[in-house]
Amino acid sequence: MERRLKAGWIQKVAWSVVVVGSLSILIWVPFLYVGIRRGRRADWVTFGAFLAYFVAVAPWAISTSDGPGDPVLGTVAIVAMAVAVVMLLFTVFDKPGTKYDAVHVTQPEGRQFLQ
């Protein structure tokens, strides 16, 4: 049985605020939530990609912390935040479906002709 993960706009915006508010330090947290709740392979791959981004960027940010800053690091962080926010707002969570999609049953025989 495939699990669905629906979310309203408030929850989607709240997860996006976590990503932007932490300046992409906690970019992996919403995708961990999705992976645990829904458990699809694609969710875990997405979580792994954002965790790998964090593991790669954290030492880079620490090594360039003294000085004026690194414009490439800033650009990478902004692009990653934008990708995460777009994914959280529009692609990660399931859209509300019909009542048959929600309970994972097919329509009764003959009902398809009545629509």
Side-chain angles (χ1 to χ4, degrees), residues 3-113:
R3 293 185 282 178
R4 295 177 54 86
L5 183 61
K6 296 183 217 172
W9 279 103
I10 294 174
Q11 184 178 5
K12 292 176 183 181
V13 169
W15 281 122
S16 299
V17 167
V18 168
V19 169
V20 175
S22 68
L23 299 176
S24 80
I25 293 172
L26 299 176
I27 198 167
W28 52 273
V29 172
F31 299 100
L32 175 63
Y33 169 78
V34 172
I36 290 171
R37 291 287 305 239
R38 192 166 49 188
R40 293 182 187 165
R41 180 175 295 180
D43 297 331
W44 287 110
V45 168
T46 305
F47 163 70
F50 280 109
L51 186 63
Y53 158 79
F54 173 71
V55 168
V57 169
W60 184 11
I62 291 171
S63 68
T64 60
S65 64
D66 54 339
D70 189 359
V72 176
L73 176 63
T75 304
V76 168
I78 290 171
V79 168
M81 281 190 288
V83 168
V85 167
V86 167
M87 288 180 71
L88 288 169
L89 290 178
F90 302 111
T91 64
V92 171
F93 295 99
D94 295 321
K95 292 176 178 45
T98 64
K99 66 179 182 176
Y100 295 109
D101 291 340
V103 295
H104 303 291
V105 295
T106 59
Q107 292 182 354
E109 199 63 37
R111 297 276 318 248
Q112 67 271 18
F113 300 111

